[in-house]
Structures are given as structure tokens and as C-alpha cells.
Amino acid sequence: MVSEVLHWLAVRPGGVYVDATLGYGGHGEAVLRASSPDGVLLGMDRDGEAISYSRGRLKTFGDRFRCRQGSYTDLPDFLASEGVNNVNGLLADFGLSSAQLDQPGRGFSFRHDAPLDMRFDQSAGVSAREYLSTADEEELARVLFEYGEVRGSRRIARAIVEARQRGAMNTTADLLRAVERVLKPPRKGMGVHPATLVFQAIRIAVNGELDAVRALLARLPEPLGPGGRAVFLTFHSLEDRMVKQRLRELSGRVPRDPWSSGEQAAPSMNELTRKPVGASAGEVRNNPRARSAWLRAAERLSPVEN
Ligand SMILES: C[S@@+](CC[C@H](N)C(=O)[O-])C[C@H]1O[C@@H](n2cnc3c(N)ncnc32)[C@H](O)[C@@H]1O
């Protein structure tokens, strides 16, 4: 959704932009081109490989591009270290990239047999194998149900626990087998394999993705300057709901709580997209994964409007 991102970010020459989920630099490169000759892009990503790739890809932009490996929850620290007080635009494209999904060794997909890792940052935290070997059955069932809306979540959680008791929960193939013990795979070309949602749910849990999204949203309207834009791309209804609610709150569009004695905060942002914007038909034709992408945008009000 590159053209939609550029449109809603209102990218212009000389602007300073943050790509909080730089990935392999696709959106980043488009922002740098559209803000030529002197716009600046500051990029973050938890994935060290993605950061190295983007460093190479965006080298030609010289000093206009700076990046750091880390979570966007550390964005204030990154901006302070770059001497930046506020920015003209912030982009966050949540979830994982196609490049990560397709990388055989990362354990994100059941299409390649690999150790169960699934961490965005492979140098820190707990891998999916460790997570699945310690989480209790109740928690597993909850994660599958809440983060993947997985049918048969309790039975799959049970199958995972049984497999780990036999020492057989180490690879993506082991997890796939546990899922298929409970739910039959669809016939070729007929619908989504149930393991897709199971892998998604476990990835979200392993990376604490929803907590990170919540923390980033809680900081808004920082780090935007007056008129600065925030653009969010989500692939998951839970993330989309979190973005929608927060933008409504910041725009003063949440009904006042009649039981609250406190003052309602004045609106600090204007929600620009009342409905989420989807990918164009052409993009979905070229990249079917774009079908589930939703974009929302908001603009920081200037102090007089506040
Ligand atoms: C959908 S991809 C972004 C793709 C990117 N827009 C592009 O054009 O290539 C999401 C990226 O967010 C990263 N990510 C996930 N959680 C993160 C976090 N808390 N902080 C920073 N990056 C994160 C992932 O490693 C992944 O590279």
C-alpha cells in the first residue's frame, strides 16, 4: 500500500519521518524518494537482518536515512539520540513481513521445516519452542483463541502439550502435526490451512506484539509536531481495533463516561480515516496477502485547535 501510505502521510520535501517498522525498506525507500531532496527518514525494526538489509538498500540516501535495531517502544530514546524533538510523520506497519514469513530458518511458516523460533529479534527473548515448552495448557488455549480465533483451540492446546511431553515440539513440522491431529487440512486451493492461524497466534504471543502496539499508541500524539500525521497498517482485527479506539479517543470521539468525575481530555488529533482504507484491487491481484491490510491515519492538531 505504498501510494496510500505516501498520500496519508502527506510526505513532502524537507519533512522528517519515522518508519517504526522499517522491515526491508519498501515503504522507507518510497518516503525518502517522495521527500527528496532533503527529507529525513528514521527507521526502527526489531529484526537485525531486516535492519542490515535496509541499511544496504537505502545507503544511496546518505545522511537522510538513519536507523536502529530495536523495538518502536524505544522510539523516544532513538529520537532523543538523533536530536529530533518531533516529526512530520510516523508510519507503523504492524505484524511480520512477507520476507520474514518466506525465510525458511525463522520458523514463522509451516511451509518450511525449521526450528520453532518466530522471534523478530533472534538475539533476545524466548523462542516459540521455549514458549511452547513452558506455557500451560489454559494459556495456550487462550492465546490460540484470542490471537488466532482458532477453531478447536482447547483441543489443539492439548495436542501441543501431549507432543511436548513426548519431547516432540521442536520444529514447525511438529507444530503442524499437532494442529493436523485436531483439524484436517483443507483440500488443495480450498481455504486457509488451520495452522496459519495457529502460527499467527503463537507468533503474536512470543513477540508480545499487542503490548508493543498498545505502548506505541499510548504515547500518541507524541512524537508528532503540529499537523504531523500518524499512519497505521494492520493485518489483524485486534490490532485494527486498538488503533481505531485510540484514534477515536485522541480525536474526542469517545462518548464521555457519565460515571467519571475527571475532566475529559481535549482532542489532540483529528482522525482522517473514519473507515479503514483497504488495498486497491490491483495490489490484491499482485499480492493476495494485501487483502487483509487496513490503513488508518490521523493528524496532530496544532495548539490553537487543541
Ligand atoms: C509488515 S513488516 C514491515 C514491512 C515494511 N513496511 C516494508 O516496507 O518492508 C513489519 C515489521 O515490523 C517489525 N516489528 C515487529 N514488532 C516490532 C516492534 N515492536 N518494534 C519494531 N519493529 C517491529 C518486524 O520485524 C517486521 O520487519
Side-chain angles (χ1 to χ4, degrees), residues 273-297:
T273 48
R274 293 285 165 102
K275 288 205 169 120
V277 177
S280 66
E283 181 164 359
V284 172
R285 226 173 295 123
N286 288 332
N287 171 18
R289 284 176 193 161
R291 195 182 316 115
S292 16
W294 295 110
L295 178 152
R296 291 184 188 268

Side-chain angles (χ1 to χ4, degrees), residues 3 22 69 105 130 142 146 162 190 206 233 249 251 293:
S3 54
L22 181 67
Q69 181 189 359
E130 292 167 281
R142 182 190 62 79
E146 283 182 18
E162 279 169 8
M190 304 282 287
V206 162
L233 280 172
E249 245 168 66
S251 323

Side-chain angles (χ1 to χ4, degrees), residues 2 7 11 49 83 106 137 149 159 199 268 284:
V2 173
H7 168 76
V11 176
E49 280 181 34
R106 301 292 295 266
E137 195 177 320
E149 294 174 31
F199 274 64
S268 56
V284 172

Side-chain angles (χ1 to χ4, degrees), residues 6-303:
L6 295 178
H7 168 76
W8 290 103
L9 268 181
V11 176
R12 57 167 176 77
V16 179
Y17 301 92
V18 167
D19 187 343
T21 52
L22 181 67
Y24 284 70
H27 287 118
E29 179 168 352
V31 169
L32 282 161
R33 287 194 189 288
S35 63
S36 283
D38 51 354
V40 168
L41 179 76
L42 302 170
M44 291 193 89
D45 202 290
R46 283 174 85 178
D47 186 330
E49 280 181 34
I51 286 286
S52 309
Y53 183 91
S54 287
R55 267 209 185 101
R57 175 175 182 167
L58 304 175
K59 203 160 61 195
T60 47
F61 294 96
D63 236 18
R64 292 180 54 209
F65 169 65
R66 272 107 68 185
C67 65
R68 178 198 270 195
Q69 181 189 359
S71 171
Y72 51 65
T73 52
D74 295 330
L75 183 60
D77 184 53
F78 179 40
L79 294 183
S81 71
E82 292 290 334
V84 171
N85 286 332
N86 55 49
V87 300
N88 301 94
L90 165 75
L91 169 66
D93 178 9
F94 296 123
L96 93 162
S97 62
S98 303
Q100 286 167 323
L101 185 69
D102 295 338
Q103 248 173 11
R106 301 292 295 266
F108 286 118
S109 166
F110 57 89
R111 309 215 178 273
H112 317 278
D113 189 16
L116 276 167
D117 191 318
M118 298 199 197
R119 285 171 299 171
F120 289 135
D121 177 358
Q122 291 185 288
S123 69
V126 165
S127 69
R129 191 187 68 75
E130 292 167 281
Y131 173 71
L132 292 176
S133 65
T134 52
D136 68 38
E137 195 177 320
E138 274 295 301
E139 168 171 342
L140 285 174
R142 182 190 62 79
V143 158
L144 296 177
F145 183 73
E146 283 182 18
Y147 301 168
E149 294 174 31
V150 173
R151 254 184 331 116
S153 49
R154 286 186 179 284
R155 284 178 297 142
I156 295 173
R158 178 97 284 267
I160 291 172
V161 169
E162 279 169 8
R164 84 179 179 210
Q165 283 164 351
R166 285 183 271 114
M169 189 44 66
N170 303 304
T171 65
T172 52
D174 290 335
L175 181 55
L176 177 63
R177 253 189 304 277
V179 176
E180 290 187 341
R181 278 174 60 149
V182 176
L183 299 174
K184 290 266 162 295
R187 264 186 278 139
K188 221 173 166 44
M190 304 282 287
V192 178
H193 193 294
T196 307
L197 299 175
V198 170
F199 274 64
Q200 168 190 287
I202 293 169
R203 187 205 84 220
I204 290 176
V206 162
N207 291 290
E209 288 177 48
L210 299 182
D211 287 343
V213 172
R214 199 171 292 112
L216 181 69
L217 292 172
R219 293 203 79 94
L220 287 176
E222 284 170 44
L224 301 166
R229 300 259 179 116
V231 173
F232 299 101
L233 280 172
T234 60
F235 287 80
H236 191 287
S237 57
L238 284 178
E239 289 166 353
D240 183 58
R241 207 172 310 141
M242 288 163 73
V243 172
K244 176 170 99 181
Q245 274 169 3
R246 182 64 180 146
L247 296 188
R248 276 192 187 162
E249 245 168 66
L250 291 164
S251 323
R253 291 183 53 232
V254 171
R256 199 182 184 308
D257 176 0
W259 304 107
S260 153
S261 53
E263 285 281 300
Q264 192 166 23
S268 56
M269 293 192 82
N270 178 27
E271 194 185 351
L272 301 168
T273 48
R274 293 285 165 102
K275 288 205 169 120
V277 177
S280 66
E283 181 164 359
V284 172
R285 226 173 295 123
N286 288 332
N287 171 18
R289 284 176 193 161
R291 195 182 316 115
S292 16
W294 295 110
L295 178 152
R296 291 184 188 268
E299 182 176 49
R300 183 168 191 173
L301 297 172
S302 53

